[in-house]
Amino acid sequence: MRFPDLNGVLDAGSRLLEPNVRIGVTGLRRAGKTVFVTTLVDNLLKAGRLPFLDVVASGRFQASRLRPQPDPDVPRFDVEGHLAALTGPDPHWPEPTRGIGQLRLALRYRPGSALKRAVQPVSTLNLDIVDYPGEWLLDLPLLRQSFAEWSALTLNLAGQPPRDALSQSWRGWLATIDPAAPAEEEAARRGAALYTDYLHACRRADTLLSLIQPGRFVEPGDMKDAPLLTFCPLPGEARGRGSLGRGSLWALMDARYEAYKTNVVRRFFTDHFARLDRQIVLIDVLGALNAGPSGMADMKRALELSLEPFRHGSSGWLDWLLGTKIDKVLFAATKADHIAAHQHAHLRALLDRLVGDARSAIRFEGAAVETMAIAALKCTESVVTEHEGRQLRCVRGVPVGRDRPTVLFPGEIPEDADAFPPGRDKPYNFLPFRPPDDLGRDPRGLPHIRVDQALQFLLGDYLE
């Protein structure tokens, strides 16, 4: 007879008394992941701006504190440094996420029911927050694609506007090589360098191209110059195992692609993604509107691909003891402070349309899904002005590149959630804003829009 592992039983018991919840902060680039995590932590530590988090609103929340890293091999999220950037004498946006970061907060609260309080008057929830580059999220679909499949899809995408102009040098090089020729390291390095330049051009593009693979080519972390990053898509068929077989450039690129999947993507998925309990996906919808129809379509494609490999589904008690699944997913359109407050419902409607297919698939698997329009850091105020006898709802803040507050009419998102209705193919022009100058003077925590509602959806049941 096989007896249960004693350490496992003890670990499960400790989780009953002091449970952990692991939230993944994911999303594509420019969505504001770093600022979101910083605001979330700052407000949980100060609890001054969380009126829609039930445990705070009911007076049951006692305090929270930072605790040592749960995973000693994962870098700590530099919340102090990011707060200093936002609240210092010269407020500025912190550096974006370049690698994985993690933080643990212990939340102390009184349970909501008399029965729970009789068993344990004060409870503690350990909240683990995992933040990582959006580009790494986009590596996950590679787990289901062969080198031939990935090459065909990537080459097809690179030949379409606006990517065709950005990929000219790399595609020009491809036209000069023979994938069946004997493998040469110099050719592999040249192809990888040109392909990496193309990915960086996509990243810089005004059209906000989101689908950038592999993610480590633009955010290598500690893998810079590693042989694992010296491959690129090649023209050819799966026949590569025959006429393009052993010893060919195709075979070399294929082998490195598979090694990348095994040693980078699969390992990262196992160590981090597969351990998530809850997930928030931050999306810069306004940035996609600024980028135009191609930027919006690219973002939608990237989101659908990146969410496929996640394990979504309701967690029963056996899953909770032996291995978790993501049972709540929040899609959040960020930077809602860049538009007037009455436009937030339209922004959310557009987000609903953007993630509709992914949301339906996740709900089918049994997970709870919600969408919101949020601002991790509120930089503007909604104001009403009169222009040519017409009242306009505007925003007032300091745009990036300026030094004084300005009242702006940012434009409006269509009510029918069609971002580019017939007759409109031009991008929008929603401006970015600087952090306010007085952030460090308010002891209540960083100002935000609906971060407390996001927390209620993600954590409310744990804090009952």
Side-chain angles (χ1 to χ4, degrees), residues 166-210:
L166 303 176
S167 63
Q168 278 186 348
S169 295
W170 170 58
R171 289 188 297 117
W173 175 83
L174 287 176
T176 69
I177 59 103
D178 179 8
E184 294 183 2
E185 183 63 27
E186 181 57 32
R189 293 178 66 84
R190 179 61 176 162
L194 289 170
Y195 181 66
T196 301
D197 289 344
Y198 156 60
L199 293 182
H200 278 291
C202 290
R203 198 183 193 202
R204 294 190 300 267
D206 292 337
T207 45
L208 193 71
L209 298 173
S210 303

Side-chain angles (χ1 to χ4, degrees), residues 368-381:
V369 187
E370 184 60 272
T371 57
M372 290 182 189
I374 71 169
L377 183 67
K378 190 172 183 289
C379 300
T380 69
E381 299 289 338

